[in-house]
Amino acid sequence: LEKIAMFVEKGLIVVGESPSGLATLSGGDNARERYEKAVEKLWGNSSQRTYKLGKGKVYNTSAIDSVLVAENIQPDILFDHSELRWLHRNTDESDIYFLSAMPENGYKGVISFRSKGNAEIWDPVTGEVFSLDSKSNGDYTNLVMDIPAEKSCFVVFRSKKSDHPLKPLVPTIKLDLSKTPWQLRFPSGWGIKNEPVLTNQLVAWKDLPLSAEGKSFSGTVTYETSFMLEDISKATSYFLNLGRVEDIAKVKINGKDVGTCWTTPYVLDISEYLQQGENKLQVDVTGTWFNRLAYDAGIPEKDRKTWTIAGPEAGVPLKDYGLIGPVSIEVSN
């Protein structure tokens, strides 16, 4: 407390309620007297909300927001979303913001940053960097952002002009594949007949018309369907948006490997793999072993196919695994 008081006298601003008592019994009456003197020096009689001491002051409150307003310290970032998470740091050359959307909701709208300069968005998954259009508003720079659920990004402000391309517009849906006929191939030996499962609606494996053992499948399932595209333009970018995937998806189009998605958004650029007319789509989806372990926990040990040191208990709800979608082909000109 005495050291803090010394800092306040030289100009420090302290925010915090006065302590209610000494945290130790050591030192006896002399320590208690010294403590009470230090508290009085910092907080006065504790009835004042603001107490001046030397060049600094002490706010007798825990409401940091009201103190920032009183000190005319503007918010570092402004947005109309209570669940967008962010961090900010700066270097000699840049202001760097890290933004992260919650798993349940993304963010779409204007974000105002208390920074100046040319703005870029950095994708931490792909490493792609794009420049962003920005508008200055006093001490702030306004950016129109679209951050999908569970997605994160860096926004970087630098004084020098960006040499990266503008971020492309959000693609528009051209073709919905969610309710087209899909063929699912499960590996044999796990409670599912050795024949394709046909469905016109993408749901979790546990919600398919399968046996109890089949609904508890864990591993990799191959999804197959086809779609028609006419008048494919080389000036247009085509994207496959898989929607919700639990957990990893490996994609092939017309027999060629496109790539693997392991985190949201499950989107791949498929422009160079498409052909006029019919296109064949294959998605290999892999989930964890949770559901199978839960199923085996409820059957005699001699009949189990999986073992682990500490797995889920029998009767726990099964998790959603599989390609759940919606799946669509999107275009961006």
Side-chain angles (χ1 to χ4, degrees), residues 222-225 250-254 280-284:
T222 298
Y223 290 72
E224 295 176 338
T225 191
K250 183 177 181 181
V251 176
K252 287 185 178 181
I253 296 221
N254 298 319
K280 296 186 180 299
L281 170 62
Q282 176 182 320
V283 185
D284 294 333

Side-chain angles (χ1 to χ4, degrees), residues 17 20 22-24 64 66 74 80 84 87 107 111 114 122 132 156 168 170 173 203 209 214 246 268 289 307 310 315:
E17 298 173 346
S20 59
L22 190 61
T24 176
I64 185 68
S66 63
Q74 299 299 314
D80 186 22
L84 185 65
L87 293 171
Y107 178 83
I111 301 179
R114 197 183 64 194
W122 296 17
L132 293 171
V156 180
V170 176
I173 296 177
V203 295
E246 302 291 344
L268 289 170
W289 283 97
W307 295 264

Side-chain angles (χ1 to χ4, degrees), residues 177-211:
L177 302 181
S178 297
K179 295 183 180 180
T180 59
W182 287 85
Q183 179 175 272
L184 282 60
R185 296 184 180 275
F186 289 78
S188 60
W190 298 95
I192 303 167
K193 294 181 179 179
N194 192 21
E195 59 186 35
V197 176
L198 304 178
T199 182
N200 288 327
Q201 184 175 4
L202 293 172
V203 295
W205 299 334
K206 69 180 182 62
D207 297 322
L208 290 170
L210 303 172
S211 65

